[in-house]
């Protein structure tokens, strides 16, 4: 396709990704062990307005970063939207880590299954349905569980423990953004090449700056693996539903992507 042909003229993604990160930033641990019932407890943000405002600002910066990557702009709009729809949540989480946004949550303990059954029997009702097993992916407009929130907090803590630099964040974002494995993509070779260059750039940067830490590149890729376990619906429910209600992220992303942020 046209994009694949044009892609051969790009010798490196280093400059474009770093420049995009600079423009975007300009003004305009493991789950706790114990009773598995805890993972089914609902969790909410302690100060939804504050956290949601911070997340919204980071999302704007994130999409500004994406828009400022020249090789991303050369893709057809349909391809751009496919990529952004698939990776907005991990990009947002990387942005929250980079901006050092801390999450303060409160846990609302729900009645145990036994309590719910006994209450239902006393009232002559049918027993409530069995709660979903811990670890089941989050679906629908339900408050995130303690386990799902812990996964996000663990990811943020991992990033902060590594003290990831601005350049490293930029290369990680490039790796996440250019995902050639999405169904429906046409310019797969072009996108695969960009992802490979982002990873190579990250590796070279780590070897140059962190010569005494041979495992740092692997540690940074562990950060990416942690991202893959976090459901985008959880991120939307946590950061956007409290202030704007039911939200169609596809519509919002399309509007933001086509706007001049």
């Amino acid at each position: 396709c046209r994009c694949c042909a044009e892609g051969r003229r790009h010798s490196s993604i280093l400059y474009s990704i770093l420049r995009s990160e600079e423009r975007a930033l300009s003004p305009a641990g493991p789950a706790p062990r114990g009773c598995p019932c805890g993972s089914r407890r609902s969790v909410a943000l302690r100060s939804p307005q504050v956290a949601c405002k911070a997340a919204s600002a980071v999302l704007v910066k994130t999409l500004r970063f994406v828009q400022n990557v020249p090789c991303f702009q050369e893709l057809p709009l349909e391809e751009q939207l496919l990529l952004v729809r698939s990776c907005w949540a991990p990009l947002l989480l990387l942005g929250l880590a980079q901006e050092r946004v801390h999450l303060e949550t409160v846990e609302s303990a729900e009645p145990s299954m036994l309590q719910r059954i006994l209450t239902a029997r006393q009232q002559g009702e049918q027993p409530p349905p069995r709660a979903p097993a811990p670890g089941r992916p989050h679906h629908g407009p339900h408050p995130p569980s303690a386990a799902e929130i812990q996964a996000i907090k663990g990811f943020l803590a991992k990033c902060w423990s590594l003290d990831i630099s601005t350049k490293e964040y930029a290369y990680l974002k490039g790796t996440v953004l250019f995902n050639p494995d999405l169904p429906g993509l046409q310019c797969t070779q072009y996108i695969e090449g960009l992802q490979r260059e982002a990873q190579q750039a990250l590796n070279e940067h780590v070897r140059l700056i962190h010569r005494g830490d041979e495992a740092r590149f692997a540690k940074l890729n562990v950060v990416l693996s942690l991202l893959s376990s976090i459901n985008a619906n959880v991120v939307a429910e946590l950061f956007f539903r409290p202030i704007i209600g039911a939200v169609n992220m596809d519509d919002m992303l399309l509007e933001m992507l086509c706007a001049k942020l």
Side-chain angles (χ1 to χ4, degrees):
C1 66
R2 179 180 63 84
C3 296
C4 295
E6 291 179 353
R8 299 189 184 97
R9 296 202 301 268
H10 292 279
S11 59
S12 175
I13 194 178
L14 309 184
Y15 180 77
S16 63
I17 285 184
L18 287 176
R19 287 295 297 162
S20 178
E21 181 71 7
E22 291 170 0
R23 293 170 186 167
L25 293 176
S26 63
R33 300 181 65 179
C35 176
C37 300
S39 65
R40 293 196 289 269
R41 294 176 182 172
S42 297
V43 176
L45 295 171
R46 183 181 297 275
S47 303
Q49 296 291 337
V50 175
C52 294
K53 183 178 180 180
S56 297
V58 171
L59 182 61
V60 170
K61 285 185 178 181
T62 297
L63 292 182
R64 186 185 300 141
F65 160 79
V66 169
Q67 287 178 323
N68 287 327
V69 177
C71 40
F72 177 83
Q73 294 175 343
E74 292 182 0
L75 290 165
L77 180 60
E78 295 79 6
E79 304 272 289
Q80 295 181 24
L81 191 54
L82 273 174
L83 292 175
V84 171
R85 279 174 174 169
S86 73
C87 71
W88 72 267
L91 286 180
L92 174 63
L93 292 174
L94 282 169
L96 292 174
Q98 186 173 7
E99 296 290 327
R100 295 270 175 173
V101 176
H102 291 264
L103 300 185
E104 294 187 13
T105 57
V106 290
E107 187 175 283
S108 55
E110 297 180 349
S112 68
M113 178 60 67
L114 178 59
Q115 290 174 325
R116 294 165 65 194
I117 291 175
L118 291 176
T119 301
R121 286 179 177 174
Q122 290 174 359
Q123 298 175 353
E125 301 173 356
Q126 292 293 327
R130 182 180 297 274
R136 175 176 288 186
H138 183 96
H139 294 292
H142 302 293
S145 68
E148 290 168 332
I149 300 303
Q150 184 61 34
I152 294 177
K153 287 186 173 182
F155 164 78
L156 295 175
K158 181 66 174 179
C159 290
W160 296 334
S161 70
L162 291 174
D163 195 20
I164 301 174
S165 69
T166 298
K167 287 186 177 181
E168 288 170 335
Y169 273 118
Y171 299 141
L172 289 172
K173 291 176 185 177
T175 301
V176 170
L177 175 61
F178 296 112
N179 179 7
D181 299 324
L182 298 177
L185 288 176
Q186 301 298 319
C187 305
T188 52
Q189 291 183 349
Y190 176 60
I191 294 170
E192 184 178 11
L194 294 175
Q195 186 185 65
R196 183 168 54 251
E197 288 184 14
Q199 276 280 287
Q200 290 173 348
L202 176 62
N203 193 13
E204 291 173 5
H205 172 78
V206 168
R207 287 193 298 174
L208 179 65
I209 304 300
H210 300 275
R211 297 184 179 181
D213 189 354
E214 297 181 356
R216 184 170 181 82
F217 181 69
K219 294 176 183 176
L220 292 174
N221 277 286
V222 168
V223 167
L224 297 180
S225 68
L226 291 176
L227 277 176
S228 64
S229 66
I230 300 174
N231 192 294
N233 290 332
V234 173
V235 179
E237 289 290 327
L238 184 65
F239 292 110
F240 298 107
R241 178 174 285 274
I243 55 174
I244 59 179
V247 56
N248 186 319
M249 291 303 300
D250 284 353
D251 291 344
M252 189 169 77
L253 291 169
L254 177 60
E255 182 178 349
M256 296 178 71
L257 192 61
C258 295
K260 293 183 177 180
L261 299 175

